[in-house]
């Protein structure tokens, strides 16, 4: 392949390395690559216009803002706090109870938000003060919050899965179903780790004193039940075919608005929830739009076929090729955010995986898990920095949060390996709906 045809990819890598925001890097490199590939300015502008228009009109994109607003309303109305308190109350006598409650609350909260950033921010305000009051170590407490917040990237309705489905033209509903068992298993592994750690290091996770037992109110119980009903209606409706994922996101948004109103949320609170959702969604939507344009360049230049030919010439085999992709995801995870990694690599890796006969559901779950680990990987680790910004303790160091997150990072990778070793963990449920 000529340098002109590789120009867009080279430009993208250079712009990312020098620190240009990824959304501008996608747009500029796509324009440059298409200029050389099409041989002129006019054809390049025409294709950019067509691609941008088709991206803006993409019906499936509406799922992302709907689920994000849904999660922000739940977080801002106090339902996240209700979940934490209800789970905490039900775990009396469990070692590391507050940490396990954080994991359990995050697992339930993940099923209504799909955005790990929202979970990290919500539980930084709810769980961290409770754990510090019980004299939990700062590293263990913050690591638990950051680590368990990534459950929202795996448990449906995950924004990661929505983006992956859009990029690969897979069924959003099937990917949602594929994330259920792995997501619950990962939450279980997190909880086991917290209990074992509390037993081995009681000074870092002391038993909760009797005077710190939680007394539940009717409002807290009602808020938690409301979240449960919202999950059942939204995800159950999608899986049983009552409505599409796009329609389900709209139903969930209306339901979360009703729950937020019932919890006493009014004008100012609703406004703040929408503003925070906008701050989360806007970069994602801009990235999707510019990545759609960049994918045209990739397809036009035949880059996936070139990558496949190079990998075949290396004689890595299916397992070795998958390991190579994992290594690339790790490398990028230390430099850029997870959504950008997905947008940059999936259009290239997906055709290669198809050509090798790798199960598409298994490949999606492994990819999402490995990229998900980037949320906790230094030096970028956006999940860690969200926790650092959200917790009320200004003395906590980023290094302490990273150290506390290591066991959760290891468990994410263990689950990715387990899915590779036993694909039915991810593929069984989607094949039965």
């Amino acid at each position: 392949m000529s340098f002109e045809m590789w120009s867009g990819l080279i430009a993208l890598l250079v712009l990312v390395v020098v620190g240009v925001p990824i959304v501008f890097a996608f747009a500029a490199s796509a324009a440059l690559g298409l200029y050389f590939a099409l041989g002129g300015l006019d054809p390049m502008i025409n294709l950019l216009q067509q691609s941008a228009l088709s991206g803006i009109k993409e019906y499936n994109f509406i799922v992302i803002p709907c689920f994000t607003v849904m999660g922000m309303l739940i977080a801002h109305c106090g339902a996240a706090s209700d979940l934490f308190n209800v789970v905490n109350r039900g775990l009396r006598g469990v070692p590391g109870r507050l940490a396990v409650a954080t994991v359990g609350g995050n697992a339930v909260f993940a099923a209504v938000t799909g955005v790990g950033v929202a979970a990290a921010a919500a539980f930084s305000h709810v769980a961290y003060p409770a754990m510090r009051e019980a004299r939990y170590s700062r590293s263990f407490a913050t690591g638990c919050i950051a680590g368990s917040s990534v459950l929202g990237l795996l448990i449906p309705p995950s924004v990661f899965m929505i983006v992956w489905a859009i990029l690969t033209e897979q069924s959003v509903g099937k990917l949602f179903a594929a994330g259920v068992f792995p997501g619950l298993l990962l939450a279980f592994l997190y909880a086991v780790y917290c209990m074992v750690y509390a037993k081995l290091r009681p000074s870092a996770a002391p038993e909760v004193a009797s005077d710190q037992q939680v007394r539940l109110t009717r409002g807290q119980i009602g808020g938690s039940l409301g979240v449960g009903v919202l999950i059942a209606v939204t995800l159950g409706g999608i899986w049983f075919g009552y409505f599409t994922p796009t329609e389900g996101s709209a139903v969930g948004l209306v339901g979360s608005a009703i729950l937020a109103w019932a919890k006493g949320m009014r004008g100012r609170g609703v406004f703040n929830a929408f503003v925070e959702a906008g701050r989360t969604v806007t970069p994602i939507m801009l990235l999707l739009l510019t990545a759609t344009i960049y994918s045209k360049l990739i397809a036009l230049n035949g880059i996936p076929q070139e990558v496949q030919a190079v990998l075949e010439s290396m004689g890595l085999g299916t397992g070795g090729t998958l390991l190579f992709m994992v290594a690339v995801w790790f490398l990028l995870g230390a430099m850029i955010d997870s959504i950008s990694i997905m947008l940059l690599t999936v259009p290239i890796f997906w055709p290669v995986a198809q050509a090798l006969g790798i199960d598409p559901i298994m490949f999606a779950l492994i990819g999402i898990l490995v990229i998900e680990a980037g949320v906790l990987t230094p030096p970028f680790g956006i999940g860690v920095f969200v926790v650092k910004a959200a917790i009320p303790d200004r003395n906590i160091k980023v290094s302490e949060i990273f150290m506390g997150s290591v066991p959760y990072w290891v468990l994410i990778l263990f689950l990715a390996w387990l899915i590779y070793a036993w694909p039915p963990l991810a593929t069984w449920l989607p094949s039965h709906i």
Side-chain angles (χ1 to χ4, degrees):
M1 184 176 291
S2 65
F3 169 77
E4 288 79 7
M5 298 192 75
W6 276 103
S7 58
L9 182 59
I10 294 172
L12 177 62
L13 295 176
V14 171
L15 291 173
V16 169
V17 170
V18 300
V20 174
I22 189 70
V23 64
F24 298 122
F26 269 131
S29 57
L32 178 64
L34 289 173
Y35 174 81
F36 285 119
L38 298 175
L41 185 63
D42 289 339
M44 181 267 287
I45 292 176
N46 289 334
L47 184 56
L48 287 177
Q49 290 175 336
Q50 295 171 9
S51 300
L53 182 60
S54 63
I56 292 172
K57 293 168 60 178
E58 176 59 55
Y59 178 68
N60 290 327
F61 282 0
I62 196 64
V63 175
I64 297 175
C66 282
F67 276 128
T68 304
V69 174
M70 176 181 168
M72 293 301 178
L73 287 171
I74 296 297
H76 281 254
C77 76
S81 178
D82 294 342
L83 284 172
F84 176 76
N85 288 321
V86 168
V87 175
N88 184 20
R89 178 67 175 178
L91 294 173
R92 285 177 295 177
V94 173
R97 189 180 88 186
L98 294 174
V100 178
T102 301
V103 172
N106 262 296
V108 179
F109 188 65
V112 293
T113 174
V115 182
V117 172
F123 282 86
S124 293
H125 291 291
V126 173
Y128 183 78
M131 285 192 275
R132 288 298 291 157
E133 184 181 355
R135 302 189 307 280
Y136 278 46
S137 74
R138 293 189 306 192
S139 180
F140 180 59
T142 53
C144 177
I145 295 168
S148 56
S149 70
V150 303
L151 291 171
L153 307 180
L154 183 62
I155 296 176
S158 163
V159 168
F160 264 36
M161 290 184 177
I162 296 169
V163 173
W164 189 288
I166 291 172
L167 292 175
T168 61
E169 298 183 352
Q170 287 181 269
S171 166
V172 174
K174 287 188 177 296
L175 282 186
F176 279 180
V180 172
F181 290 153
L184 294 177
L185 177 57
L186 186 59
F188 173 76
L189 293 174
Y190 281 0
V192 170
Y193 160 72
C194 291
M195 290 186 286
V196 171
Y197 185 89
K199 276 292 187 182
L200 297 177
R201 294 281 305 277
S203 61
E207 292 288 343
V208 178
S210 59
D211 61 350
Q212 291 178 291
Q213 300 296 326
V214 177
R215 291 181 174 84
L216 299 177
T217 65
R218 289 183 180 180
Q220 290 172 332
I221 296 173
S224 298
L225 289 176
V227 172
V229 170
L230 198 58
I231 294 170
V233 171
T234 303
L235 297 183
I238 293 172
W239 292 337
F240 291 107
Y242 292 108
F243 33 72
T244 66
T246 306
E247 294 165 346
S249 68
V251 171
L253 175 57
V254 173
S256 64
I258 294 172
L259 177 59
W261 179 86
K263 291 284 296 176
M265 194 175 186
R266 296 297 183 262
R268 186 65 180 176
V270 173
F271 176 78
N272 290 337
F274 271 84
V275 168
E276 189 168 340
R279 289 172 179 166
T280 302
V281 169
T282 301
I284 295 175
M285 299 304 289
L286 287 174
L287 279 169
L288 283 171
L289 179 59
T290 53
T292 299
I293 297 172
Y294 191 79
S295 66
K296 299 289 185 182
L297 172 65
I298 291 175
L300 186 64
N301 287 350
I303 291 177
Q305 292 74 21
E306 289 288 326
V307 172
Q308 180 182 346
V310 170
L311 293 176
E312 288 178 351
S313 67
M314 295 170 64
L316 298 176
T318 301
T321 301
L322 189 57
L323 187 61
F324 172 83
M325 295 178 185
V326 168
V328 172
W329 284 326
F330 272 142
L331 179 63
L332 292 176
M335 297 185 292
I336 59 178
D337 68 278
S338 301
I339 291 289
S340 298
I341 294 171
M342 191 177 295
L343 296 173
L344 178 62
T345 60
V346 170
I348 297 175
F349 288 169
W350 172 246
V352 176
Q354 286 184 301
L356 292 173
I358 299 175
D359 183 271
I361 296 292
M362 182 191 77
F363 182 68
L365 266 290
I366 291 175
I368 288 169
L369 280 165
V370 174
I371 297 173
E372 179 182 333
V375 174
L376 305 176
T377 303
F380 194 81
I382 187 172
V384 170
F385 285 97
V386 169
V387 172
K388 173 67 173 70
I391 60 174
D393 187 352
R394 298 298 96 186
N395 295 321
I396 189 74
K397 298 178 180 178
V398 172
S399 59
E400 291 180 274
I401 308 176
F402 273 121
M403 287 300 297
S405 303
V406 168
Y408 303 92
W409 183 85
V410 171
L411 290 173
I412 291 172
L413 299 184
F414 169 74
L415 182 59
W417 171 83
L418 189 61
I419 291 174
Y420 175 74
W422 191 51
L425 179 61
T427 61
W428 184 85
L429 187 57
S431 66
H432 286 77
I433 62 169

